[in-house]
Amino acid sequence: MKRKSNIITLGSLLLMIIATGLVLYYIIAYSKYEFHADFTDTIMWAEASIDARGFLNPDFYYAASLPFGGHLIMIPFVLLFDVSLTAHILGMVTFTLLFVFALVLLGRVMRWNMPMIALLVTSTLLILSLSAKLREIYWGHIIYYSLGILFMLIGLALIFKTISELNNHKHKLKLYILSAIWFFLCSTNLLQSLIIFIIPAIGSAFLVRFIEVDEPLFSKRNLAYYQYLLVCLLASCFGFIVGQIITQDFGGTYADAYSTFSAPSDWINNLHKFLIHWTSLLGADVNDGELFSSKTGVLNLIKISFSLMLLVLPIVMIKSYRNLPYYQKVLLLYHWIMTGLIMIGYIFGRLSAANWRLSPIVATAVITSISYLQYLFKDRKLQRWGYTLTSIFVVIIYISASSLKPNLNQNSDIRSVINLLEEEKLTYGYATFWHANNITVLSNAKIKSRCIELQSGNYKACTYQTNKNWYKDQPNHDNYFLLLTKDEYNTLKINNSNFANSALKKIDHENYVILVFENNIFTD
């Protein structure tokens, strides 16, 4: 019996190691083929902090101001390897390992056995790799979506551990201090952190006891419980105030979607987008007229069915709420509080503009569903359902693992441009958003490509993910390039022919035109 238990434990560890290895291998070997401008957020923030020698840089135009952000992970690697693909990959590997550690930590604190922890880690890692967009959000850069889930995993582990030690005065103070520090730091990231982590964490932990009618609301045990949650709440409030002070002079327009109303006439349309966004985020890519029985049709049906199952399982759990263990109750309430907050922004705000804004819900739905499986396995009458649902997770995990090798030609045009710029010894210049920061990183900072906006033939410095100093004369650069697509060049030629003709040299390359200038186009 003991031997069988050891084999199961070793098998579970192996499964967890394989899943982690697959995601790490994707990051190291394949993520560069899906790499585009949005992947560069975190590493650009790291460079900005290094230049300013502070958390944030007053010269940088941020998409989102995150004092306690992923750029802190990237900084050491940027110092060692510059703004390069190597630095980016090392930063993402570090974040992924932290993510895995947090999943294992949560499982251990909930006293799950090794097979259940392995299922939690494997399912979470690979389901969050099911589509190119999910891979970008969780393993491509570190922004508030993925950060919020990392905050959640560690935050809930602290809550669960502290609650179990409330009567142990030796450990309680240390856990109070650790929790206060964690909630303080996380809340400096302001509204996004509040929505994805702070409010759901404190709210779910409070509601579990509040709706428990079998015990007086203000019993001695509950008062100690509320005292701890109050410490977390006060630390969060203090962190939020500090975050406001730190970020008050910095932009973050992209993140405004969380706090901006859309027109009331759009609310129904916003809601109608949900099913398409949800299924596509989980990998469904359906074309009109595609047969259900075709290979891609069957694959899409599986992904659609699984995406619907992820929606339904947390609803089914509500029926079993009274019988759920404490940890599952908190996870279930966390999922629904966070989902409710995001859906308010999705329907009545501007979150419905993109499917990836639902990515935190995918993560909590997976984690909550796995916790439900753990509950089913504990009940002999329900074990058959546990095995059935687990088999579905295994199928989707296999599909995800099989899709981790992307199309290796996706970036071929950009890599070809980088090679040409290196041959022409053009190392500093400008391009529109989708051909700017990504060229800098993919060239390992040998070429510095800075973002511009091009409107009707007129160009100007971009104020999104850029530094105002990038548009000044650069030392040791005699020539500057302007990289345009052929359509952009034709628009420029029609509307601003004098500028286009003033180029020292024009290079045609595939779908691109490179204009070479003797002087900086912003200071000439």
Side-chain angles (χ1 to χ4, degrees):
M1 190 71 179
K2 187 176 180 181
R3 184 181 177 186
K4 182 181 178 182
S5 177
N6 289 337
I7 291 172
I8 292 172
T9 299
L10 287 173
S12 301
L13 277 170
L14 182 61
L15 180 65
M16 194 162 55
I17 291 169
I18 290 172
T20 304
L22 283 171
V23 173
L24 291 179
Y25 188 71
Y26 161 76
I27 293 169
I28 295 167
Y30 292 133
S31 64
K32 62 185 177 183
Y33 297 106
E34 294 185 320
F35 196 93
H36 55 72
D38 281 342
F39 278 64
T40 66
D41 292 346
T42 316
I43 196 167
M44 290 299 168
W45 296 341
E47 182 192 33
S49 292
I50 292 168
D51 291 342
R53 297 184 178 182
F55 283 110
L56 299 173
N57 188 331
D59 294 330
F60 197 86
Y61 299 102
Y62 289 88
S65 301
L66 305 173
F68 189 51
H71 65 292
L72 300 177
I73 296 173
M74 291 276 187
I75 285 173
F77 303 116
V78 174
L79 287 169
L80 288 171
F81 303 105
D82 204 350
V83 186
S84 64
L85 189 62
T86 301
H88 170 83
I89 288 172
L90 288 172
M92 293 314 305
V93 165
T94 303
F95 173 79
T96 303
L97 291 174
L98 283 173
F99 201 91
V100 172
F101 167 78
L103 283 166
V104 174
L105 178 67
L106 182 63
R108 294 283 292 173
V109 170
M110 292 190 295
R111 300 185 180 91
W112 288 8
N113 58 26
M114 186 51 67
M116 283 309 305
I117 293 175
L119 183 60
L120 173 66
V121 173
T122 303
S123 298
T124 305
L125 289 181
L126 291 177
I127 291 169
L128 294 182
S129 307
L130 196 52
S131 67
K133 186 52 68 176
L134 280 175
R135 291 193 292 272
E136 174 195 332
I137 292 298
Y138 284 97
W139 323 127
H141 59 168
I142 310 168
I143 197 168
Y144 40 80
Y145 308 113
S146 54
L147 267 179
I149 301 304
L150 179 65
F151 292 168
M152 164 204 165
L153 295 171
I154 296 176
L156 287 184
L158 283 168
I159 289 175
F160 293 161
K161 182 63 176 175
T162 307
I163 296 308
S164 68
E165 299 283 350
L166 283 178
N167 295 322
N168 187 336
H169 297 289
K170 182 181 178 180
H171 294 147
K172 187 171 78 169
L173 180 60
K174 293 178 184 177
L175 290 166
Y176 268 52
I177 293 170
L178 283 174
S179 298
I181 292 171
W182 186 251
F183 277 80
F184 166 80
L185 290 173
C186 295
S187 62
T188 59
N189 287 352
L190 303 179
L191 184 62
Q192 292 73 38
S193 193
L194 261 63
I195 289 174
I196 299 174
F197 169 53
I198 301 292
I199 295 174
I202 297 175
S204 59
F206 172 76
L207 279 176
V208 164
R209 289 292 173 85
F210 183 80
I211 61 181
E212 183 56 68
V213 295
D214 294 335
E215 183 173 355
L217 185 61
F218 297 108
S219 66
K220 184 177 179 180
R221 188 170 75 108
N222 277 349
L223 285 174
Y225 185 91
Y226 300 148
Q227 181 189 60
Y228 167 68
L229 293 182
L230 182 61
V231 169
C232 295
L233 179 61
L234 291 175
S236 300
C237 292
F238 184 47
F240 188 85
I241 292 168
V242 171
Q244 290 277 22
I245 294 170
I246 292 173
T247 62
Q248 63 182 342
D249 296 325
F250 299 90
T253 53
Y254 179 80
D256 288 346
Y258 273 86
S259 57
T260 306
F261 274 109
S262 60
S265 58
D266 293 334
W267 292 351
I268 298 298
N269 290 332
N270 292 345
L271 182 59
H272 284 169
K273 294 177 185 177
F274 178 81
L275 193 58
I276 296 173
H277 280 175
W278 182 257
T279 53
S280 63
L281 189 58
L282 282 156
D285 185 14
V286 178
N287 295 311
D288 184 30
E290 183 177 77
L291 291 174
F292 287 172
S293 57
S294 66
K295 182 179 177 181
T296 55
V298 170
L299 197 61
N300 278 322
L301 282 173
I302 293 172
K303 291 178 179 179
I304 290 168
S305 300
F306 178 75
S307 67
L308 295 177
M309 188 184 88
L310 268 189
L311 281 178
V312 170
L313 275 181
I315 298 173
V316 174
M317 281 182 74
I318 296 173
K319 185 179 179 181
S320 305
Y321 179 84
R322 294 285 296 172
N323 299 319
L324 293 175
Y326 170 79
Y327 303 127
Q328 275 86 339
K329 287 179 179 178
V330 172
L331 286 171
L332 178 62
L333 289 171
Y334 186 109
H335 170 74
W336 284 116
I337 292 170
M338 190 200 71
T339 298
L341 292 171
I342 290 176
M343 289 307 296
I344 288 172
Y346 188 89
I347 297 170
F348 306 110
R350 296 181 176 177
L351 294 184
S352 64
N355 68 352
W356 59 83
R357 274 136 178 198
L358 299 173
S359 58
I361 302 178
V362 174
T364 58
V366 172
I367 294 166
T368 304
S369 296
I370 297 300
S371 78
Y372 187 49
L373 297 186
Q374 200 269 350
Y375 161 73
L376 294 176
F377 284 129
K378 291 289 184 180
D379 190 326
R380 286 179 175 247
K381 295 179 181 178
L382 299 174
Q383 279 183 356
R384 71 185 70 181
W385 291 107
Y387 288 116
T388 302
L389 292 171
T390 299
S391 65
I392 297 173
F393 272 91
V394 169
V395 170
I396 208 72
I397 286 168
Y398 174 78
I399 291 171
S400 179
S402 303
S403 67
L404 279 174
K405 184 177 180 180
N407 180 355
L408 303 186
N409 294 317
Q410 287 183 86
N411 277 352
S412 58
D413 59 335
I414 293 296
R415 281 178 270 137
S416 176
V417 167
I418 289 171
N419 291 335
L420 178 62
L421 290 170
E422 288 180 353
E423 289 172 10
E424 295 287 335
K425 294 181 171 53
L426 296 169
T427 57
Y428 200 96
Y430 304 97
T432 48
F433 179 78
W434 295 108
H435 309 102
N437 289 345
N438 53 330
I439 285 181
T440 301
V441 178
L442 287 171
S443 69
N444 288 318
K446 294 175 184 176
I447 299 166
K448 301 292 177 69
S449 181
R450 308 311 194 184
C451 184
I452 63 165
E453 293 180 18
L454 192 65
Q455 296 176 345
S456 301
N458 296 313
Y459 64 90
K460 65 178 182 178
C462 180
T463 56
Y464 180 83
Q465 293 296 88
T466 57
N467 188 315
K468 62 178 69 173
N469 296 313
W470 290 350
Y471 304 94
K472 299 176 181 179
D473 282 337
Q474 304 297 314
N476 304 318
H477 288 281
D478 296 327
N479 294 331
Y480 295 78
F481 68 83
L482 175 61
L483 171 67
L484 303 169
T485 64
K486 288 195 171 178
D487 286 342
E488 289 170 342
Y489 173 74
N490 290 334
T491 301
L492 179 70
K493 185 78 173 173
I494 293 169
N495 293 284
N496 197 347
S497 59
N498 290 336
F499 171 71
N501 292 330
S502 68
L504 178 69
K505 186 179 181 182
K506 174 176 174 284
I507 304 171
D508 288 291
H509 180 73
E510 298 176 357
N511 190 44
Y512 297 95
V513 174
I514 301 170
L515 299 178
V516 183
F517 295 87
E518 285 185 296
N519 300 299
N520 187 346
I521 62 174
F522 286 97
T523 59
D524 186 22

